[in-house]
């Protein structure tokens, strides 16, 4: 006969199939017994074609008519309910009798008598479940079995107390646990309907080796070996035994004890760095995890634990005080990278490949998470350089050394390898669909949930799914971040000359920016963009230590930003960031040139304002980067204003230039919102110039500008009747009224208040007549301000003559009046708001 499998493997599969058939036979026999009892119950319903026992295929089960077992010939001798009552009553009476015997008669017996009584009771308790199972009383059998197993423990204790009183307690407990585990396992195999016996056997099997280690006085590593050996035995039992009552607790015990063993090895390696014992224990744990995953494809957790144990075993060999702490981290990350690279062998099963890959990736990720905050600290430490600009002696913090750079670069390598892992076809862990022993070939009653090798490869050939759960774009983004951070740390800590170090850091920032512009995946693009921003920030701060370095770095970064904004591909967000960087570095370069040439800061501000003019001139030609460029140009304009604040005439010039730029921008239909900004800047420029010239009569300058602005607004309203009165007349009226209103409060004479009041009244009436919001509001506010100015002295005099209790009383009366008519006042306010909203 030909066989596609090795004989030993095929024999194991045949044994597993026979065991499943036996389990199915027991299930059908129990179902048949239940149906017989159902037929003979009073008022029982005969099962029809649509009811009854169902087989695994979902079809009703009906015994053949010719079979003598399909139709009962006689009712059972006793009803099941009566049996349960009698058995429970008998158990209660026996328990009472045993209690009475223990309390009153036990002390009169000798050692032999006690042992004989306990042995007879144990034997009776062990024999009772067999009878109960034949009667179909499974629950009662399980309860009696639990009592019987507890009696065996008492037997072992009695033997130690009576026959071996001088023996070592832990050693005897270890031997007793081993013997009891074997006896319970045999008992459970003899009575296959019981679940408690195999479960108790597995639980007892966890104790012998740890108790023996405790009896021998083993250290932490020796205890770990005992735990690991027990975990290995549990794994063998879980893989080899089909019964669920054995497999589930065996897997649990293997996981718990295996994890405890690895924890003991890790603790030992931390207590004694470089010791071989903990390293060997961790290596053995790694082999056990991989072996379990090889045999049981669903045990991915075991494979992951094995990978972590392998990394810990390599790290345990690092001696104490070796190099610095980052070299120790680098060794562990290197072991993780080796795992990720080694599991790319297609002959290995998917579970064996997936677990170490995840473990290696996890270790690399932890190394990266530990190192990236240090990189951030290195960048933040450069904030001390601007305090001594161009001094040539700015403090440079020492880096953590080459260990951190190696750690980050190794982590980047792990992230590069990770997305390339692919799961191959079915590995040596079991036969595929053609083997004849998988779930497809099993009989209708096969228990595929508990069968070994249940996880099979699909029939369509090798799977091409990723062997790890980390998505490819996320892994590649992590690789970009770690690679840039590692190279940055290497350049910062290599002790390179100033110019060379700046050149390397600048090249790294530009390379990251190129990746951000050309990457096809958004995650990679954003990761590279953040790296480029961080690199530009760091090299810009470092370049402030020298004049030539500042100009060179700022100029190169500004040019790179302009190129990226112009030819950066289709990703608009990244191109917008490049545009912002181009304008920002151009402004910084202008400031640096002004400082290098000894130009006054105020006139440097005038030069900075030229940058927004260039942005406004290009306008629509900027395309998708127009908005970020205009925002950064506005920031440059603010910088120019700040630089010019020390010289009022120059500040007026800067404000006037800004107003002219805003007015030029407002000529385009999509930038009409710049009109008010142009008016505000123009007014501010006029007032700053007046203040610088010592002019005390602002109307001479404000009225001509107001007339011009009102003329422009009138033309606009004629061309566009739907235009807002604020956009048309607001700037002109504001220039005419508000400066004079401010001057009224410092004028002790009457002509200005009178003329301003008359003018404000005329504007208010014109706004009300034409239903225009801006003239009505500005004129009314100005008129109210003039009135308050004129009445203020008289109010003060009257307030001085009144008693002090009058103002609070008047305020109280006012509040009461408003509160009493609150709803009416609220309606009036709504009507006023609606009427005001209808104005233009």
């Amino acid at each position: 006969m030909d066989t596609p499998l090795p004989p030993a493997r095929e024999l194991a599969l045949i044994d597993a199939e026979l065991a499943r058939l036996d389990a199915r036979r027991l299930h059908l026999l129990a179902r048949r017994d239940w149906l017989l009892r159902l037929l003979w119950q009073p008022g029982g319903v005969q099962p029809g074609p649509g009811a009854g026992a169902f087989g695994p295929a979902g079809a009703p089960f009906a015994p053949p008519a010719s079979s003598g077992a399909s139709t009962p010939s006689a009712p059972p001798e006793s009803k099941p309910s009566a049996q349960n009552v009698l058995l429970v009553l008998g158990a209660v009476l026996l328990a009472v009798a045993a209690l009475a015997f223990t309390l009153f008669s036990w002390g009169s017996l000798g050692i032999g008598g006690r042992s004989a009584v306990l042995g007879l009771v144990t034997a009776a308790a062990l024999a009772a479940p067999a009878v109960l199972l034949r009667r179909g009383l499974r629950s009662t059998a399980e309860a009696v079995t639990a009592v019987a197993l507890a009696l065996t423990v008492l037997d072992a204790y009695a033997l130690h107390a009576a026959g071996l009183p001088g023996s070592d307690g832990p050693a005897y407990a270890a031997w007793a646990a081993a013997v009891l585990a074997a006896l319970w396992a045999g008992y459970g195999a003899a009575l296959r309907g019981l679940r408690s016996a195999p479960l108790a056997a597995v639980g007892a099997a966890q104790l012998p080796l740890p108790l023996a280690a405790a009896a021998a006085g083993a250290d932490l590593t020796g205890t770990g070996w005992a735990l690991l050996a027990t975990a290995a035995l549990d794994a063998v039992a879980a893989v080899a035994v089909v019964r669920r009552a054995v497999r589930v607790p065996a897997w649990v015990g293997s996981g718990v004890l295996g994890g405890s063993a690895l924890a003991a090895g890790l603790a030992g390696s931390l207590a004694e760095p470089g010791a071989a014992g903990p390293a060997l224990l961790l290596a053995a744990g790694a082999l056990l995890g991989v072996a379990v995953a090889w045999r049981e494809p669903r045990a991915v957790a075991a494979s992951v634990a094995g990978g972590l144990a392998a990394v810990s075993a390599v790290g345990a060999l690092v001696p104490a005080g070796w190099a610095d702490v980052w070299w120790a981290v680098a060794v562990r990350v290197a072991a993780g990278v080796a795992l990720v690279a080694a599991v790319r062998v297609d002959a290995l099963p998917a579970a064996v490949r997936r677990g170490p890959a995840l473990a290696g990736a996890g270790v690399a990720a932890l190394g990266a998470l530990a190192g990236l905050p240090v990189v951030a600290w290195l960048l933040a430490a450069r904030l001390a350089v601007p305090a001594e600009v161009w001094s040539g002696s700015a403090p440079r913090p020492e880096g953590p050394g080459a260990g951190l750079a190696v750690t980050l670069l190794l982590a980047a390598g792990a992230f590069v390898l990770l997305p390339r892992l692919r799961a191959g076809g079915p590995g040596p862990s079991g036969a595929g669909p053609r083997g004849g022993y998988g779930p497809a070939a099993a009989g209708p009653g096969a228990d595929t949930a508990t069968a070994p090798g249940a996880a099979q490869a699909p029939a369509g050939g090798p799977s091409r799914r990723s062997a790890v759960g980390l998505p490819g774009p996320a892994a590649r983004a992590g690789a970009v971040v770690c690679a840039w951070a590692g190279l940055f740390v290497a350049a910062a800590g290599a002790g390179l000359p100033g110019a060379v170090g700046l050149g390397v850091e600048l090249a790294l920032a530009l390379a990251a920016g190129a990746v951000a512009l050309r990457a096809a995946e958004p995650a990679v693009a954003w990761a590279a963009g953040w790296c480029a921003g961080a690199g530009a920030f760091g090299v810009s701060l470092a370049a402030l230590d020298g004049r030539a370095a500042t100009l060179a770095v700022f100029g190169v970064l500004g040019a790179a930003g302009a190129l990226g904004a112009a030819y950066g591909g289709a990703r608009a967000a990244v191109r917008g960031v490049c545009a912002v960087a181009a304008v920002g570095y151009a402004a910084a370069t202008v400031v640096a040139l002004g400082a290098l040439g000894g130009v006054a800061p105020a006139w440097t501000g005038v030069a900075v304002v030229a940058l927004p003019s260039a942005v406004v001139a290009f306008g629509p030609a900027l395309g998708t980067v127009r908005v970020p460029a205009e925002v950064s140009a506005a920031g440059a304009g603010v910088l120019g204003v700040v630089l010019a604040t020390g010289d009022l005439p120059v500040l007026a010039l800067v404000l006037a230039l800004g107003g002219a730029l805003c007015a030029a921008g407002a000529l385009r239909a999509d930038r009409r919102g710049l009109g008010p900004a142009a008016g505000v800047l123009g007014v501010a420029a006029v007032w700053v110039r007046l203040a610088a010239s010592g002019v005390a009569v602002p109307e001479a300058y404000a009225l001509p500008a107001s007339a011009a602005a009102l003329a422009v607004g009138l033309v606009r309203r004629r061309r566009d009747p739907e235009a807002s009165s604020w956009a048309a007349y607001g700037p002109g009226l504001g220039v005419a009224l508000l400066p004079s209103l401010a001057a009224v409060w410092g004028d002790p004479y009457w002509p200005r208040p009178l003329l301003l009041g008359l003018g404000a009244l005329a504007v208010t009436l014109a706004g009300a007549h034409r239903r225009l919001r801006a003239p009505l509001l500005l004129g009314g506010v100005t008129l109210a301000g003039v009135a308050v100015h004129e009445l203020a002295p008289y109010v003060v005099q009257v307030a001085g003559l009144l008693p002090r209790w009058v103002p609070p009383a008047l305020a109280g009366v006012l509040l009461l009046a408003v509160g009493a008519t609150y709803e009416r006042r609220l309606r009036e306010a709504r009507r006023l708001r609606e009427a005001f909203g209808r104005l233009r």
Side-chain angles (χ1 to χ4, degrees):
M1 294 178 65
D2 269 342
T3 173
L5 299 175
R9 176 62 181 160
E10 186 173 4
L11 180 60
L13 290 173
I14 290 173
D15 290 340
E17 186 69 19
L18 291 175
R20 284 196 294 271
L21 292 175
D22 291 341
R24 185 61 183 169
R25 182 176 180 275
L26 289 175
H27 169 72
L28 292 176
L29 288 175
R31 185 71 178 178
R32 176 182 179 276
D33 185 67
W34 179 79
L35 290 173
L36 288 174
R37 294 197 305 272
L38 180 66
L39 289 173
W40 287 101
Q41 283 181 359
V45 180
Q46 298 291 337
F54 285 83
F61 175 78
S66 60
S67 174
S70 57
T71 303
S73 57
E77 295 181 0
S78 61
K79 299 177 182 179
S81 58
Q83 289 179 356
N84 292 336
V85 171
L86 292 175
L87 286 172
V88 172
L89 182 59
V92 171
L93 293 176
L94 286 176
V96 173
L99 180 62
F101 175 78
T102 302
L103 294 176
F104 302 107
S105 302
W106 181 260
S108 62
L109 298 177
I111 295 177
R114 297 177 182 178
S115 302
V117 170
L118 189 57
L120 289 174
V121 173
T122 303
L126 291 173
V131 179
L132 295 173
L133 287 176
R134 284 196 296 270
R135 292 286 186 176
L137 302 175
R138 184 172 179 177
S139 299
T140 307
E142 294 286 358
V144 175
T145 301
V147 176
L149 298 180
L151 289 175
T152 58
V153 177
L154 293 178
D155 289 336
Y157 174 75
L159 178 61
H160 177 266
L164 301 170
S167 61
D168 183 43
Y172 178 81
W175 283 106
V179 172
L180 288 176
L183 290 176
W184 293 347
Y187 184 71
L191 300 178
R192 299 188 61 85
L194 295 177
R195 294 181 180 178
S196 56
L199 182 62
V202 174
Q206 313 304 307
L207 302 176
L209 292 179
L211 289 176
D219 57 359
L220 186 62
T221 303
T223 304
W225 279 108
L227 294 172
L228 187 63
T230 306
L233 295 175
D234 288 336
V236 170
V239 172
V241 179
V242 180
R243 296 186 64 182
R244 183 178 179 83
V246 175
R247 286 174 59 87
V248 173
W251 279 126
V252 173
S254 179
V256 173
L257 295 185
S260 301
L262 296 181
L266 184 61
S269 67
L270 295 177
E272 300 179 26
L280 290 176
L281 176 60
L282 292 170
L287 292 177
L288 176 61
V290 173
V292 170
W294 194 300
R295 181 58 182 81
E296 184 65 33
R298 291 172 295 180
V300 181
S303 181
V304 174
L308 294 176
V311 173
S312 300
V314 174
L317 296 176
V318 178
W322 181 65
D324 61 6
V325 66
W326 286 110
W327 280 111
V329 176
V331 168
R332 290 167 170 82
V333 175
V337 176
L339 283 179
V340 175
V343 297
R344 299 180 65 188
V345 182
D346 291 336
L348 294 176
V352 176
R353 302 169 66 199
R354 186 180 301 116
L358 288 174
V363 172
L366 289 176
L369 291 176
L372 290 177
V374 181
V375 179
W377 174 83
L378 289 176
L379 291 172
R382 294 188 175 183
L383 291 173
V385 178
E388 302 179 12
V389 177
W390 292 352
S391 66
S393 61
R396 295 181 179 273
E398 296 183 0
L404 176 58
V406 173
T407 299
L408 293 171
L409 292 176
L410 288 172
F415 289 138
V416 169
L417 293 174
L418 196 58
R420 300 181 181 180
L421 298 177
R422 301 295 179 189
S429 59
R434 61 176 179 161
Y437 299 105
D447 186 7
T448 58
T450 58
Q456 305 291 341
S463 171
R464 300 305 297 170
R465 293 177 301 174
S466 175
V468 295
L470 190 65
R476 283 186 280 273
V480 169
V481 173
C482 292
W484 173 83
L487 294 175
F488 174 79
V489 172
L496 299 175
V500 177
L502 287 177
V504 173
E505 293 185 19
L506 184 61
L508 290 176
L510 294 178
V515 173
L517 290 171
R518 295 300 179 184
E521 296 168 332
V524 178
W526 281 109
W530 280 105
C531 292
F537 172 77
V539 73
S540 300
L541 290 177
L544 293 176
D545 196 28
R547 293 176 173 82
T550 300
L551 295 176
V553 170
F554 284 8
V556 170
L557 289 176
L563 291 175
Y567 308 104
R571 188 164 283 110
V574 179
R575 292 180 60 199
V577 174
C578 290
V580 172
V583 177
Y585 277 108
T589 304
V590 170
V591 174
L593 287 173
L596 184 62
V599 179
W603 289 104
T604 302
V606 176
V608 170
V609 178
L611 296 174
S613 64
V615 174
V616 172
F618 283 104
L622 297 176
T624 57
V625 301
R626 180 182 178 185
V627 173
E630 290 178 347
V631 172
S632 56
V638 173
L639 175 62
V641 171
V642 172
L643 291 174
T645 52
D647 193 332
L648 291 182
V650 179
L651 177 60
L653 176 61
V654 171
L655 292 172
L657 290 175
L661 290 176
C662 291
L667 294 177
R668 297 190 177 99
D670 55 344
R671 293 293 184 267
R672 297 297 189 192
L674 294 177
V680 171
L681 290 175
V683 172
V686 171
W687 270 95
V688 170
R689 184 59 197 172
L690 291 175
S693 302
V695 176
V697 183
E699 289 81 5
Y701 300 91
L703 291 179
S706 173
L710 290 174
V712 172
L714 182 61
V715 173
R716 181 178 178 184
R717 285 277 296 177
R718 287 183 177 179
R719 292 182 178 180
D720 183 12
E722 299 297 326
S724 171
S725 62
W726 283 109
Y729 306 125
L733 292 176
V735 171
L737 298 176
L738 298 182
S740 298
L741 179 61
V744 162
W745 288 88
D747 191 353
Y749 304 102
W750 61 269
R752 177 179 279 133
L754 177 60
L755 295 176
L756 181 59
L758 293 175
L761 179 60
V763 169
T764 304
L765 294 176
H769 178 69
R770 296 290 184 179
R771 303 182 62 83
L772 298 176
R773 186 182 302 176
L776 180 62
L777 185 61
L778 289 175
V781 169
T782 305
L783 188 60
V786 173
V788 170
H789 172 266
E790 294 301 314
L791 294 176
Y794 302 103
V795 172
V796 171
Q797 292 178 5
V798 172
L801 296 175
L802 292 176
R804 294 185 177 181
W805 58 268
V806 174
L810 293 176
V813 171
L814 178 62
L815 290 176
L816 288 175
V818 172
T821 60
Y822 175 76
E823 294 295 336
R824 187 174 63 184
R825 303 304 177 206
L826 193 59
R827 287 194 297 270
E828 292 174 353
R830 290 196 188 101
R831 286 196 296 270
L832 179 61
R833 184 185 63 183
E834 293 171 357
F836 188 75
R838 288 193 293 269
L839 302 179
R840 293 188 181 277

